[in-house]
């Protein structure tokens, strides 16, 4: 029984469970059995390495290949995608080795076959048990009996187990021997089948060598050749990409930013499409991104430098645009990088340049004036205030001239920038139109028929096995575009023998430098300039607004320059000629800037208006004060008319409402005239009125010289005319001249002269009105009513003077005729006295007033005379009855009539003396 125990092949310990579990797990790790590849000689496709090195059951059935190896250790070690693969492999193998060694010790003890070998070591249970008993016996004899009893029990149980095992084997012996017999038959069948398969394979191998091996070798060589071409082109492309950074540096050294950016963009595209996964280029993409950021900073710095150089170059240069090609290249580069706020840099530089222009002009002017000591007077503003008007005016004129050139230069530069923006906008529109056309055409075109090709077991078309040179033209172009980089020219299969193939990136510098001129500027616009129309239009508007800002900047700096000079009241102290000259200069500059920039800037115009208002106030106050002084010193006597005033009046009559230019003194001065001749009429006048006419023309001339003050001047002139009317009325009619000038009395001659002066002013009011009306806006015509009011006031004043003259004679008539008595002698003393006074009156006014006015005045006086005479006759009860009293009165009246009609200009006067006898009804 003991021997049967040692010869039993069945595992007797729990370690057997682990053994069977290990074998089951090992079975799970086996790869599933793959079906045999198709042995038919179909067309090879795909990777040539797979096509050339894959096992063949026909050719390689008796040759050992690497596919017989379970583990390809070099492949595992050289796999770059799993650098820790070998570590995982060794860890897994060491774990299996430890499990195997543990199980091996158990199998050795139990005599279990291990890997096809039987170990000679056997397990002796009695020895193991005796060893156990010897170990346990040391504890005492008391346990020996129990241990022996236990041994007997275990032996008994072992016998029972062996008997049961033998019984079970006897029951299944027939099936066991049947299985052995079937195994021998199966081995015979397999041997015959193996021989048949071997024979078949030998025949197929012969067929393969004769019929298929040559054709497949041609295909393999063709694929190898194409792959070599691809590898060569790929290496060329890698070499070109490798030169990207040096080429970019070279382009940047010549400020070819557009070319550098195009090269970077092309290289990035190649890296993402053609060279993706290349280990040596793993950092090139990030380096190009950093280089692109550096180019952004360089372009901004370059544009700042360009703006500074463009705006600060000497303003005497004739060239309008500085390095136009460089500017266009910079703008394209900035647009390409979406740096749309670059115009702000130009705007900031404009402000600084405008300040420097004024500063430099002041410095240059001060350095030429010997009277200004720059060491004593340090500040430029103080130095400027030490200039007189001609010096300061020349300085301002120089500043305006510089600013005009400055704005023209800015306009030319900004127009160039806007033209670039509009070119990009046009290109976007053309691209959209082209895309729409292509979409319409593609919808109409049918699909191109392709040649049907058979597929190999790897799925490659027959056409892919041939070189590009062997394909049709269309297919060759498509293949070449697929096998070459996007920025390289198509290389045919024959290009392997060529030293190198030209690429666009290698010539990008030459292309950029030759296309930055305005004529070929469209070549610089790439398809990668992703700017929307809204962004481009907004940028163009901002650039145009920058031109407007340039005008505002120049005007603002000019205003500050004017205010700095006006602090000490310098501008308010200018005389009319100086201010008019200044105003004309400023108006000319304002018009020039509006014409250049197309916008009305209000700052300088507002400053001019403010100074003009101050000038108008001062101008008016000076002339009003002057007129007041003249009136206060006027004695109201007829003045001689100098020849210059006659010339002044004549020029007005000719339609020239302006002060004549001063002429050099003639050798023979013309004598002054007694009267002022105005359109054929003689006007006796006083000196104040002559000067008033000149003052009125000064107002009119200021309106011509400074159109912006037309309304103010109209108001001031109206005030001046009203002042003259009211003040002259106070002095003459109100007898104010008695106290002011010291006249003894206001004579009829004073009154007549005052009336004639007023008539002269009234004559010019319509002319003045027409002059202002031509210079007013239609909405301002309502201001002309001032002249209507003034005319009415003057006419009322003239009427009052006439009434005053009549009133003088009326009081005389009342005084004399109230004492009149009808008695001899004839003519009576009363009538002689009346005729005498009438003659004096005529003598006083005849040379001053026109004949018509004299006649009208004497008619009114005669009417007053008749009224008083009639009243006195009624009082005396003298009637027209032909009696003695009636005869005496008739004689006196005849004397009166004869004397009155004998006066000059009154001979035809209808006195109608019969009215003195008419009775009231």
């Amino acid at each position: 029984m003991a021997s049967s125990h040692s010869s039993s092949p069945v595992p007797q310990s729990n370690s057997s469970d682990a053994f069977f579990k290990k074998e089951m797990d090992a079975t799970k790790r086996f790869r599933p059995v793959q079906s045999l590849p198709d042995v038919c000689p179909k067309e090879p496709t795909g990777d040539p390495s797979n096509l050339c090195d894959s096992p063949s059951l026909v050719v390689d059935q008796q040759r050992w290949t690497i596919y017989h190896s379970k583990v390809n250790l070099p492949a595992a070690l050289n796999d770059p995608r799993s650098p820790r693969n070998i570590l995982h492999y060794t860890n897994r193998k060491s774990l299996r080795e430890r499990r195997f060694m543990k199980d091996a010790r158990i199998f050795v003890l139990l005599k279990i076959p291990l890997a096809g070998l039987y170990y000679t070591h056997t397990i002796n249970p009695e020895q193991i048990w005796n060893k156990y008993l010897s170990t346990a016996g040391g504890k005492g004899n008391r346990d020996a009996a129990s241990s022996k009893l236990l041994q007997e029990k275990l032996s008994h149980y072992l016998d029972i187990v062996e008997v049961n095992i033998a019984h079970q084997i006897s029951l299944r012996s027939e099936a066991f021997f049947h299985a052995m017999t079937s195994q021998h038959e199966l081995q015979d069948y397999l041997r015959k089948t193996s021989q048949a398969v071997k024979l078949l394979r030998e025949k197929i191998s012969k067929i393969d060598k004769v019929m298929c091996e040559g054709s497949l070798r041609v295909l393999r060589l063709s694929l190898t050749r194409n792959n070599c071409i691809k590898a060569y082109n790929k290496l060329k492309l890698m070499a070109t990409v490798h030169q990207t950074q040096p080429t970019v540096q070279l382009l940047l050294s010549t400020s070819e930013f557009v070319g550098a950016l195009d090269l970077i963009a092309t290289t990035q595209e190649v890296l993402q499409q053609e060279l993706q996964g290349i280990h040596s280029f793993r950092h090139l993409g990030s380096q190009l991104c950093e280089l692109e950021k550096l180019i952004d900073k360089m372009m901004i710095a370059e544009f700042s430098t360009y703006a500074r150089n463009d705006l600060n170059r000497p303003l005497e240069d004739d060239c309008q645009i500085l390095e136009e090609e460089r500017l266009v290249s910079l703008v394209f580069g900035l647009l390409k990088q979406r740096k749309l706020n670059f115009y702000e840099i130009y705007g900031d530089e404009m402000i600084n340049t405008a300040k420097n222009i004024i500063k430099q002009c002041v410095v240059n002017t001060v350095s030429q004036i010997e009277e200004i000591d720059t060491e004593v007077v340090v500040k430029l503003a103080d130095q400027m205030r030490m200039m007189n008007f001609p010096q300061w005016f020349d300085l301002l004129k120089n500043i305006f001239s510089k600013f005009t050139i400055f704005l023209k230069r800015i306009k030319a530069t900004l127009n160039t920038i806007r033209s670039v923006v509009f070119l990009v906008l046009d290109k976007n529109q053309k691209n959209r139109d082209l895309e729409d056309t292509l979409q319409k055409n593609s919808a109409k075109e049918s699909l191109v028929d392709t040649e049907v090709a058979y597929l190999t077991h790897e799925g490659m078309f027959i056409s892919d096995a041939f070189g590009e040179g062997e394909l049709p033209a269309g297919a060759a172009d498509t293949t070449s575009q697929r096998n070459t980089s996007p920025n390289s020219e198509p290389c045919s299969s024959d290009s392997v023998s060529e030293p190198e193939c030209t690429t666009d990136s290698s010539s990008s510098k030459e292309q950029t430098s030759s296309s930055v001129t305005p004529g070929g500027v469209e070549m610089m616009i790439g398809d990668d300039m992703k700017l929307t129309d809204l962004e481009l239009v907004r940028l163009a508007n901002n650039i145009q607004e920058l031109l407007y800002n340039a005008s505002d900047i120049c005007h603002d700096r000019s205003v500050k320059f004017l205010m700095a000079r006006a602090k000490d009241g310098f501008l308010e102290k200018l005389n009319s000629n100086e201010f008019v000259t200044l105003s004309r200069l400023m108006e000319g500059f304002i018009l020039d800037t509006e014409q250049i920039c197309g916008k009305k800037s209000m700052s300088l115009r507002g400053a001019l208006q403010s100074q003009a208002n101050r000038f108008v106030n001062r101008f008016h106050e000076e002339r009003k004060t002057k007129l007041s002084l003249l009136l206060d010193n006027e004695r109201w006597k007829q003045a001689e008319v100098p020849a210059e005033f006659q010339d002044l009046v004549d020029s007005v009559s000719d339609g020239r409402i302006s002060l004549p230019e001063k002429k050099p003194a003639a050798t023979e001065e013309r004598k002054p005239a007694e009267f002022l001749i105005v359109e054929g009429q003689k006007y006796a006048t006083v000196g104040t009125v002559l000067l008033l006419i000149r003052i009125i023309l000064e107002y009119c001339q200021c309106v011509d010289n400074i159109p912006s003050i037309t309304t103010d001047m109209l108001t001031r002139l109206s005030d001046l005319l009203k002042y003259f009317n009211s003040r002259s009325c106070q002095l003459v009619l109100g007898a104010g001249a008695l106290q002011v000038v010291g006249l003894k009395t206001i004579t009829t001659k004073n009154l007549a002269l005052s009336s004639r002066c007023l008539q002269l002013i009234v004559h010019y009011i319509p002319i003045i009105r027409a002059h202002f009306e031509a210079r007013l806006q239609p909405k301002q015509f309502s201001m002309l009513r001032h002249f209507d009011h003034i005319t009415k006031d003057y006419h009322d004043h003239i009427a009052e003077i006439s009434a005053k003259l009549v009133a003088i004679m009326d009081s005389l008539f009342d005084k004399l005729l109230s004492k009149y008595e009808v008695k001899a002698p004839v003519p009576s003393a009363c009538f002689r006295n009346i005729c005498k006074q009438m003659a004096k009156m005529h003598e006083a006014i005849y040379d001053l007033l026109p004949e018509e006015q004299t006649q009208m005045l004497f008619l009114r006086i005669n009417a007053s005379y008749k009224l008083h005479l009639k009243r006195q006759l009624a009082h005396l009860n003298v009637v027209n009855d032909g009696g003695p009293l009636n005869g005496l009165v008739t004689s006196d009246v005849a004397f009166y009539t004869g004397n009155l009609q004998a006066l000059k200009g009154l001979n035809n006067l209808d006195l109608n003396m019969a009215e003195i006898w008419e009775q009231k009804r």
Side-chain angles (χ1 to χ4, degrees), residues 273-292:
Q273 297 180 0
E274 300 293 331
L275 301 180
Q276 188 175 11
I278 301 299
H279 190 67
S280 58
F281 289 153
R282 64 186 182 278
H283 301 303
L284 183 58
S286 60
Q287 292 173 357
L288 292 178
C289 291
E290 293 298 325
L291 189 58
E292 190 172 0

Side-chain angles (χ1 to χ4, degrees), residues 500-542:
E500 62 181 22
C501 205
T502 304
T503 60
D504 291 339
S505 60
S506 63
S507 61
S508 60
K509 175 185 174 183
E510 298 162 348
Q511 180 181 0
T512 303
S513 62
S514 62
S515 60
V516 296
T517 57
V521 74
E522 292 187 358
M523 298 176 62
M524 301 177 63
I525 308 176
D527 294 333
D528 56 344
M529 195 169 291
K530 306 301 181 182
L531 292 173
T532 64
D533 292 352
L534 180 62
E535 290 175 330
L536 293 171
V537 171
R538 186 182 296 115
L539 177 60
N541 293 336
N542 290 336

Side-chain angles (χ1 to χ4, degrees), residues 407-687:
L407 290 176
K408 289 181 180 179
R409 185 170 296 170
I410 291 175
K411 181 180 181 180
T413 302
L414 294 182
N415 283 344
T416 301
I417 297 175
R418 290 184 78 234
S419 65
V420 174
V421 175
F422 286 131
L423 281 174
V424 177
L425 188 61
D426 293 341
K427 183 63 178 298
N428 287 352
Q429 183 64 37
K430 292 179 181 178
N431 289 340
R432 285 196 301 270
D433 295 341
L434 181 59
E435 290 176 0
D436 295 341
T437 303
L438 292 177
Q439 289 177 358
K440 293 178 181 178
N441 294 336
S442 62
K444 296 178 180 179
E445 291 178 354
S446 60
L447 297 176
V448 179
D449 294 335
T450 56
E451 183 180 356
V452 179
Y454 293 99
L455 291 173
T456 64
H457 63 280
E458 293 177 345
M460 191 174 186
F461 286 99
I462 293 177
S463 58
D464 292 331
F466 295 91
E468 289 82 348
E470 302 172 5
L471 294 175
D477 293 341
T478 306
T479 308
S480 64
Q481 292 177 3
R482 183 177 66 250
N483 293 337
T484 57
S485 63
N487 66 333
S488 62
E489 296 180 358
C491 298
S492 63
S493 60
D494 298 334
S495 62
V496 178
S497 60
E498 296 294 331
E500 62 181 22
C501 205
T502 304
T503 60
D504 291 339
S505 60
S506 63
S507 61
S508 60
K509 175 185 174 183
E510 298 162 348
Q511 180 181 0
T512 303
S513 62
S514 62
S515 60
V516 296
T517 57
V521 74
E522 292 187 358
M523 298 176 62
M524 301 177 63
I525 308 176
D527 294 333
D528 56 344
M529 195 169 291
K530 306 301 181 182
L531 292 173
T532 64
D533 292 352
L534 180 62
E535 290 175 330
L536 293 171
V537 171
R538 186 182 296 115
L539 177 60
N541 293 336
N542 290 336
I543 294 172
Q544 183 64 34
E545 190 66 28
L546 187 61
L547 180 60
Y548 299 155
N549 294 340
S551 176
D552 293 338
I553 289 170
C554 293
H555 282 217
D556 293 342
R557 300 313 304 179
S558 300
V559 169
K560 291 184 178 180
F561 178 78
L562 289 173
M563 294 300 103
R565 189 64 182 92
K567 282 185 177 180
D568 55 354
F570 172 77
L571 298 180
E572 296 179 3
K573 298 176 183 178
L574 299 178
N575 57 43
S576 59
N577 292 331
E578 291 174 342
F579 187 83
V580 167
T581 304
L582 175 62
S583 176
R584 286 179 175 176
L585 177 63
M586 295 176 65
E587 285 285 353
F589 176 69
I590 292 172
L591 294 177
D592 289 341
T593 56
E594 290 178 358
Q595 183 178 4
I596 294 172
C597 302
K599 179 190 176 184
K600 291 184 177 181
S601 297
M602 302 307 299
S603 57
L604 186 58
R605 191 182 296 275
L608 176 60
Q609 185 65 41
S610 177
Q611 291 298 326
N613 292 336
R614 293 190 182 96
F615 168 76
V616 168
N617 292 332
R618 181 181 57 81
F619 178 88
H620 177 65
E621 291 300 328
E622 287 180 354
R623 278 142 186 82
K624 189 174 182 180
T625 302
K626 181 179 180 180
L627 179 61
S628 177
L629 293 174
L630 290 172
L631 287 173
D632 290 343
N633 291 278
E634 181 59 57
R635 302 189 67 85
W636 296 101
K637 291 183 178 180
Q638 184 177 359
E640 293 181 343
V641 180
E644 57 177 318
F645 284 96
Q646 185 61 55
D647 295 339
L648 185 64
V649 170
D650 294 340
S651 66
V652 174
S653 301
D654 295 337
R656 297 189 302 272
I657 304 178
S658 61
L659 295 175
E661 298 180 358
K662 292 184 178 181
K663 299 180 180 179
T667 55
E668 295 182 0
E669 294 185 358
R670 292 181 295 173
K671 294 181 179 181
E674 184 178 2
F675 295 95
L676 183 68
I677 308 301
V678 179
E679 296 182 359
Q681 292 189 13
K682 295 191 301 182
Y683 283 89
T685 182
V686 295

Side-chain angles (χ1 to χ4, degrees), residues 23-236:
E23 291 299 326
M24 181 181 63
D25 294 341
T27 305
K28 290 181 180 180
R29 285 193 294 273
F30 292 154
R31 295 181 179 177
V33 178
Q34 299 180 354
S35 61
L36 292 175
D38 192 359
V39 297
C40 295
K42 293 183 179 179
E43 186 176 359
T45 59
D47 192 350
S49 60
N50 296 333
L51 185 61
C52 297
D53 298 334
S54 61
S56 175
L57 295 177
V58 177
V59 180
D60 301 329
Q61 58 179 341
Q62 296 178 351
R63 182 167 60 91
W64 187 92
T65 64
I66 61 172
Y67 293 97
H68 291 82
S69 175
K70 298 303 180 183
V71 178
N72 188 358
L73 186 59
L77 292 174
N78 293 327
D79 187 2
R81 293 171 294 183
S82 301
R84 302 179 60 86
N85 184 34
I86 188 62
L87 181 60
H88 175 68
Y89 174 77
T90 55
N91 292 336
R92 186 176 61 185
K93 291 304 179 183
S94 62
L95 179 61
R96 292 180 181 178
E97 184 179 1
R98 287 194 297 270
R99 289 179 180 175
F100 176 77
M101 294 305 296
K102 179 180 178 181
D103 296 338
R105 288 193 295 270
I106 298 174
F107 294 160
V108 169
L109 292 176
L110 299 180
K111 199 177 180 181
I112 296 175
L114 183 63
L117 301 176
Y118 287 88
Y119 288 89
T120 57
H121 303 284
T122 58
I123 300 174
N124 192 342
E126 293 181 358
Q127 294 178 357
I128 295 174
W129 184 251
N130 291 332
K131 185 177 180 180
Y132 168 74
L133 291 178
S134 65
T135 304
K139 297 180 181 180
N141 296 326
R142 186 178 56 184
D143 298 331
S146 61
S147 298
K148 188 172 183 181
L149 180 61
L150 179 61
Q151 180 181 5
E152 291 177 355
K153 287 182 179 181
L154 292 175
S155 299
H156 177 68
Y157 293 155
L158 181 60
D159 293 338
I160 294 173
V161 170
E162 288 179 350
V163 170
N164 290 332
I165 291 174
H167 178 68
Q168 293 295 330
I169 291 173
S170 64
L171 292 177
R172 292 172 175 78
S173 59
E174 183 177 358
F176 176 76
F177 287 111
H178 182 270
M180 293 297 294
T181 304
S182 299
Q183 179 69 20
H184 289 300
E185 292 177 357
L186 181 61
Q187 288 180 353
D188 292 338
Y189 289 145
L190 289 175
R191 188 179 300 109
K192 293 179 181 179
T193 303
S194 176
Q195 291 177 354
V197 169
K198 181 178 181 181
L199 180 61
L200 178 61
R201 287 180 174 176
E202 290 177 353
K203 292 181 179 180
I204 293 175
S205 177
K206 292 179 181 179
I207 293 174
D208 178 64
K209 290 181 180 180
V210 174
M211 299 183 63
C212 300
E213 184 175 1
S215 300
L216 291 177
R217 185 169 179 272
V218 171
L219 294 177
R220 292 190 190 98
L221 290 177
S222 177
L223 284 175
T224 301
R225 181 177 181 274
N226 290 336
N227 288 335
C228 289
I229 293 174
K230 294 178 182 178
Y232 172 74
N233 291 331
K234 190 73 71 176
L235 290 174
K236 283 179 57 181

Side-chain angles (χ1 to χ4, degrees), residues 692-756:
L692 177 59
I693 294 175
R694 184 180 182 89
I695 291 173
I696 292 173
L697 294 181
E698 288 178 354
Y699 277 82
C700 295
Q701 188 169 9
C702 281
V703 170
D704 289 338
N705 296 330
I706 313 174
S708 60
I709 63 175
T710 301
T711 55
D712 291 336
M713 277 296 184
L714 188 151
T715 305
R716 300 303 193 281
L717 180 57
S718 300
D719 179 70
L720 185 72
L721 294 175
K722 290 178 181 179
Y723 176 76
F724 172 76
N725 185 41
S726 61
R727 186 60 177 162
S728 62
C729 182
Q730 294 173 2
L731 292 173
V732 180
L733 281 178
L738 300 179
Q739 293 81 21
V740 175
V741 185
L743 296 179
K744 295 180 180 180
T745 183
I746 300 298
T747 65
T748 56
K749 193 169 187 177
N750 297 140
L751 292 172
L753 186 60
S754 174
S755 175
R756 194 56 173 163

